[in-house]
Amino acid sequence: MRKMNPQLDRHGHLHHFLTTEYLPKDILLHILNVAESFLPVNKREVKKVPLLRGKTVFNLFFEASTRTRTTFEIAAKRLSADVINVNISTSAQVKGESLLDTVSNLSAMHADMFVVRHAESGAPFLIAKHAAPHIHVINAGDGSHAHPTQALLDMYTIRHFKKKFEGLQVAIVGDVKNSRVARSQIHALNILGVNEIRVIAPKTLLPIAVEKLGVSVYHDMEQGLKDADVVIMLRLQKERMKGIYLPSSQEFYNTYGLTPSKLSAAKSDVIVMHPGPINRGVEIDSFVADGNSSVILPQVTFGIAVRMAVMSILTGQSK
Ligand code: CP
């Protein structure tokens, strides 16, 4: 029996994709494997397969995005779906329409899938709860809570470069407290069975009782990065900070900014990841961001195949 999970249907299949928390390992691995099967599609001259032909996908981004919104649009188009990017700033939301009324009206236009980003944690869950049973909801990032497709493309990137999860030391550095990406990564890394997940940050940038998530806590970069296989950098998410967390961005860079010198504590074949957007000279030095260890741009490319995989699995097109 599967643990009760609002994302799964009564057969234990993914119906929505809202969080990596409590997802069975076989489902995470299935997404990665299906994504791998889509990689060649993205290299063909005609980059299309008909799996979502006739389906209508609404991109509902209530918060800014470059990578997630565009790769979801590309992924849906490569699956032959009709894609509608709702421009929230010019939608009836500005006239006071509620989130659920907006969704009800889009559902009346025969929506099959909503891809939702929202500044409020829980908004995609609320939509999933109220959506008609045939509609699938994907969380494209909600507040500081979860960003499951980002975490899955990050898992894909790790497996692509390291060929395994077992035995890996993964360090996550920076503003973990405000990061939905870090939360989703930590759940996924624990489920997939890496050896150790380290979070490296000042106390002010860590959630209370972060150890309960199954991580080791470090405040010193040299100790935390020692022999790391994977380093994931996070930006300071100032849009979610309430109050002053740090003396200054320069002070943060001096202590926690990833420079070639700090990175030398990690393994020689370390990969450096970042969900983006990167802030050069704040959490990462350009020599690292553009250096040989960086896999930041491959992460973006893999995001298309991973999002194709999630959409095709939700709609039952990839078994
Ligand atoms: N990684 C990520 O979510 O980037 P965007 O905010 O550009 O979508």
Side-chain angles (χ1 to χ4, degrees), residues 85-99:
N85 292 307
V86 180
N87 188 340
I88 300 296
S89 62
T90 57
S91 76
Q93 285 263 315
V94 295
K95 299 178 193 167
E97 187 171 63
S98 75
L99 176 65

Side-chain angles (χ1 to χ4, degrees), residues 95-114:
K95 299 178 193 167
E97 187 171 63
S98 75
L99 176 65
L100 290 181
D101 280 333
T102 299
V103 166
S104 297
N105 279 270
L106 298 177
S107 301
M109 300 173 201
H110 305 293
D112 294 292
M113 189 179 286
F114 292 121

Side-chain angles (χ1 to χ4, degrees), residues 5-9 13-21 23:
N5 188 315
Q7 316 174 84
L8 303 181
D9 66 18
H13 300 140
L14 259 192
H15 185 73
H16 304 297
F17 193 43
L18 304 173
T19 172
T20 52
E21 195 172 8
L23 268 189

Side-chain angles (χ1 to χ4, degrees), residues 54-288:
K55 302 279 186 203
T56 305
V57 176
F58 284 85
N59 264 337
L60 297 174
F61 279 64
F62 296 86
E63 201 193 58
S65 169
T66 298
R67 282 145 290 271
T68 312
R69 198 197 64 71
T70 47
T71 52
F72 263 115
E73 181 175 353
I74 293 167
K77 285 181 170 166
R78 290 193 180 164
L79 293 168
S80 307
D82 296 318
V83 186
I84 316 296
N85 292 307
V86 180
N87 188 340
I88 300 296
S89 62
T90 57
S91 76
Q93 285 263 315
V94 295
K95 299 178 193 167
E97 187 171 63
S98 75
L99 176 65
L100 290 181
D101 280 333
T102 299
V103 166
S104 297
N105 279 270
L106 298 177
S107 301
M109 300 173 201
H110 305 293
D112 294 292
M113 189 179 286
F114 292 121
V115 179
V116 182
R117 169 168 289 190
H118 205 287
E120 293 296 327
S121 296
F125 288 71
L126 185 71
I127 294 172
K129 201 171 155 198
H130 286 84
H134 75 278
I135 293 179
H136 305 280
V137 179
I138 301 178
N139 182 359
D142 64 325
S144 56
H145 173 242
H147 193 349
T149 58
Q150 177 69 46
L152 262 286
L153 75 87
D154 296 333
M155 298 307 112
Y156 188 96
T157 305
I158 291 172
R159 191 174 78 164
H160 178 86
F161 287 102
K162 295 294 171 190
K163 312 294 178 209
K164 60 176 185 178
F165 294 104
E166 298 76 18
L168 294 180
Q169 318 286 343
V170 180
I172 302 175
V173 186
D175 183 6
V176 179
K177 183 184 178 79
N178 295 296
S179 176
R180 55 195 175 206
V181 174
R183 279 177 184 73
S184 289
Q185 288 168 336
I186 290 167
H187 294 311
L189 288 165
N190 273 317
I191 293 164
L192 293 169
V194 297
N195 186 52
E196 186 185 14
I197 308 165
R198 305 170 185 170
V199 293
I200 312 174
K203 275 188 186 147
T204 50
L205 293 181
L206 289 172
I208 292 165
V210 65
E211 304 84 359
K212 290 190 178 158
L213 294 175
V215 298
S216 315
V217 176
Y218 291 83
H219 303 298
D220 179 87
M221 281 289 265
E222 197 175 337
Q223 289 171 14
L225 293 181
K226 190 170 164 38
D227 295 330
D229 299 284
V230 177
V231 179
I232 301 173
M233 299 304 299
L234 302 172
R235 79 184 163 88
L236 298 175
Q237 290 133 99
K238 291 184 177 163
E239 71 276 21
R240 288 194 274 280
M241 289 185 183
K242 295 181 181 75
I244 298 171
Y245 290 56
L246 297 162
S248 68
S249 297
Q250 185 60 47
E251 183 70 27
F252 179 78
Y253 178 70
N254 292 344
T255 313
Y256 292 100
L258 190 62
T259 57
S261 159
K262 291 196 189 97
L263 187 60
S264 65
K267 287 200 179 135
S268 58
D269 63 349
V270 66
I271 56 169
V272 175
M273 298 169 55
H274 194 310
I278 64 171
N279 288 165
R280 293 169 188 265
V282 180
E283 76 277 5
I284 192 163
D285 186 282
S286 283
F287 282 107
V288 178

